[in-house]
């Protein structure tokens, strides 16, 4: 095969799943469960492995933040899972683009506070994370969970 033939070959798109959930606690819980299920199907890893746990924590935090801080009445949030060669990318899109994620503090204000640790967990568990405003009506917060290295032969 020549270099031109290799370049002209259609690329197989990365496995991708996109679903909408109600902006409720139940919707956030279902998003977390689905993310773990899809991750284990794509990778063949067990549900109880560390990587699946990381996917669960990351998805739970992003989805609960979308429900708590990014929802408008009657508007859903979207979960997108994208299997990249090096990571699973978890994206959660909500309907409040003006509510940007706050910079992550070095430590929570108070250990007794009932909330305020979500982005600390995202930063701790995600290989990389960030957010972007893709249009005037939504914002997407994303995080990537590194895939395990294949065993050396």
């Amino acid at each position: 095969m020549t270099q031109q033939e290799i370049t002209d070959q259609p690329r197989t798109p990365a496995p991708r799943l996109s679903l909408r959930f109600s902006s409720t606690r139940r919707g956030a819980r279902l998003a977390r469960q689905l993310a773990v299920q899809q991750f284990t199907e794509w990778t063949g890893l067990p549900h109880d492995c560390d990587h699946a746990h990381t996917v669960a924590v990351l998805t739970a935090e992003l989805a609960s933040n979308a429900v708590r801080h990014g929802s408008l009445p009657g508007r859903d949030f979207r979960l997108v899972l994208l299997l990249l060669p090096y990571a699973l990318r978890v994206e959660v899109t909500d309907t409040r683009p003006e509510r940007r994620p706050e910079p992550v503090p070095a430590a929570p204000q108070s250990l007794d506070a009932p909330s305020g640790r979500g982005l600390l967990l995202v930063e701790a568990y995600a290989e990389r994370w960030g957010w972007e405003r893709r249009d005037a009506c939504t914002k997407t917060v994303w995080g990537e969970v590194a895939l395990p290295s294949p065993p050396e032969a």
Side-chain angles (χ1 to χ4, degrees), residues 17-138:
L17 178 72
S18 177
L19 291 169
R20 291 172 61 162
F21 293 91
S22 63
S23 290
T24 61
R25 289 178 19 203
R26 182 174 186 258
R29 185 177 65 250
L30 290 172
R32 175 185 51 82
Q33 291 170 341
L34 177 87
V36 172
Q37 178 66 33
Q38 190 62 58
F39 174 76
T40 60
E41 285 183 25
W42 280 342
T43 63
L45 295 170
H47 280 81
D48 59 353
C49 72
D50 289 343
H51 289 85
H53 175 74
T54 301
V55 169
V57 171
L58 183 61
T59 306
E61 289 303 327
L62 295 179
S64 66
N65 282 350
V67 169
R68 187 171 211 186
H69 305 292
S71 66
L72 291 171
R75 301 288 302 272
D76 298 337
F77 72 90
R78 183 175 58 236
L79 171 70
V80 173
L81 302 174
L82 184 61
L83 185 62
L84 304 170
Y86 59 89
L88 177 77
R89 184 176 176 117
V90 178
E91 298 181 352
V92 175
T93 301
D94 66 44
T95 55
R96 298 295 299 265
E98 76 281 3
R99 289 192 166 181
R100 300 174 179 170
E102 295 291 325
V104 178
Q109 297 292 334
S110 167
L111 295 177
D112 295 335
S115 63
R117 295 177 191 82
L119 289 179
L120 281 171
L121 289 172
V122 169
E123 188 163 281
Y125 278 86
E127 191 72 22
R128 297 180 331 136
W129 77 278
W131 69 276
E132 53 197 54
R133 187 173 168 180
R134 295 180 179 166
D135 58 45
C137 300
T138 64

